[in-house]
Amino acid sequence: MPVKLAKALAGQDQDLLGICNSILKKHGLDGWVFQCDLTNFFGSTHHDIAKKAVFSRVGNKWVNNHVYKIIDSFNQGEDPEIGMGLGSQVTQLIELAVLDRLDHIIKEDLRIKCYIRYNDDFILIHEDKEHLKYCLKVINEHLAFLGLKLSEKKTRLYQLKQGIKFLGFKFQLTKTGKVIKRLSKENVTHVKRKLRRMKKLVDIGVLTKEDVDKCLEAWKAHAKQGNTHNLILSMDRFYENLWEGGKSYV
């Protein structure tokens, strides 16, 4: 994870921390979380939908025409009119425009004050479970209009006191009014596997140790945004053992 991306994620994390603190002050642990993720967001976006989203927000014809060309360049899928590349900064901005109307529906029409979205991963928090069920219906209707749909596996409704997993962190709310922010187990497992794979590539001359060092430092920059002091020390020991050829367990 590049350091710039880690900083961007940290900003979203801080927003969620603020939301959690606001909820605790008003309602304590009595609340519900509606966590959503889209199925193959970039790969499912129809070109016409993307162009309309850009046209309604950008008033420069020259810019629009160039953006349309970029959109149409992603034509290698089964349907050449559907799907855009994931790695392009331009398509990242285009997809922001595609879901911009959804943001307004959630915040203004559904009156969800505690709402945060990062790309296609978003969370609604409300004290009324039934209202969130209604929100699900409205969101599904709008996504269907866009030719998109929620992931059945990753979309769920659960109690706030269970804690919230978002962007690799778990936010645990306590009865004392604190929000504890820890890296999720899945995040730690993922980075260990990645470092092991990169170490093997160094052994055969594909990567350098400096490449792996940068990967670890970027992860640590992200991890430091939470209550992770002991975890980072443990990860440093794991990393030392990885290069010494010892057991790589934390």
Side-chain angles (χ1 to χ4, degrees):
M1 179 189 298
V3 175
K4 287 184 178 180
L5 177 56
K7 290 181 178 179
L9 296 180
Q12 295 291 331
D13 290 340
Q14 293 301 318
D15 288 343
L16 184 55
L17 272 175
I19 288 174
C20 289
N21 283 320
S22 175
I23 287 285
L24 279 172
K25 290 178 182 179
K26 293 181 179 179
H27 306 288
L29 294 175
D30 297 327
W32 293 83
V33 180
F34 178 32
Q35 189 152 12
C36 307
D37 199 344
L38 300 185
T39 297
N40 191 21
F41 178 34
F42 280 74
S44 301
T45 301
H46 200 287
H47 290 185
D48 283 346
I49 294 292
K51 291 176 183 177
K52 289 177 182 177
V54 172
F55 178 79
S56 64
R57 291 161 180 82
V58 180
N60 187 298
K61 184 177 180 180
W62 182 88
V63 171
N64 285 342
N65 287 335
H66 280 276
V67 173
Y68 297 163
K69 290 179 182 178
I70 293 173
I71 293 172
D72 287 333
S73 70
F74 298 103
N75 57 4
Q76 290 80 34
E78 293 183 7
D79 185 336
E81 294 296 321
I82 296 178
M84 292 194 293
L86 184 60
S88 166
Q89 290 186 346
V90 175
T91 55
Q92 297 275 348
L93 293 173
I94 293 168
E95 293 291 34
L96 284 176
V98 169
L99 291 185
D100 181 59
R101 176 57 189 150
L102 177 65
D103 293 335
H104 287 279
I105 289 173
I106 292 172
K107 292 187 290 185
E108 297 166 11
D109 298 348
L110 297 174
R111 298 188 179 278
I112 297 294
K113 295 181 179 179
C114 298
Y115 167 69
I116 187 168
R117 177 170 69 85
Y118 180 79
N119 206 340
D120 62 339
D121 188 358
F122 56 98
I123 289 175
L124 294 73
I125 305 175
H126 198 271
E127 64 273 15
D128 188 344
K129 181 181 180 181
E130 295 305 313
H131 182 61
L132 288 178
K133 287 183 178 180
Y134 173 70
C135 292
L136 171 60
K137 176 178 177 294
V138 174
I139 289 170
N140 274 330
E141 288 174 353
H142 182 69
L143 291 177
F145 170 75
L146 297 176
L148 302 170
K149 62 180 180 178
L150 293 172
S151 165
E152 293 183 6
K153 182 179 179 180
K154 296 181 180 180
T155 299
R156 60 195 187 100
L157 179 63
Y158 57 92
Q159 289 182 297
L160 182 62
K161 62 184 179 183
Q162 292 178 227
I164 303 170
K165 288 185 179 180
F166 188 63
L167 302 181
F169 282 99
K170 182 171 183 179
F171 298 79
Q172 189 66 54
L173 285 67
T174 69
K175 294 180 180 179
T176 60
K178 293 183 178 180
V179 181
I180 300 172
K181 178 182 173 185
R182 294 191 177 100
L183 274 176
S184 66
K185 292 180 180 179
E186 294 84 356
N187 180 285
V188 178
T189 300
H190 172 76
V191 75
K192 287 183 188 176
R193 289 175 178 170
K194 183 176 182 179
L195 291 172
R196 288 191 187 102
R197 289 195 301 268
M198 294 181 76
K199 167 63 165 59
K200 291 179 180 178
L201 293 176
V202 172
D203 292 341
I204 61 175
V206 176
L207 295 177
T208 66
K209 184 177 183 298
E210 287 71 23
D211 294 325
V212 194
D213 290 342
K214 290 178 181 178
C215 177
L216 177 64
E217 290 304 314
W219 175 85
K220 288 166 70 172
H222 180 52
K224 286 177 182 178
Q225 304 302 319
N227 306 99
T228 55
H229 176 73
N230 291 334
L231 174 62
I232 290 174
L233 292 178
S234 296
M235 187 62 75
D236 284 337
R237 291 194 295 270
F238 164 86
Y239 194 62
E240 290 175 7
N241 287 336
L242 188 65
W243 292 102
E244 291 172 0
K247 292 183 179 180
S248 5
Y249 300 108
V250 173

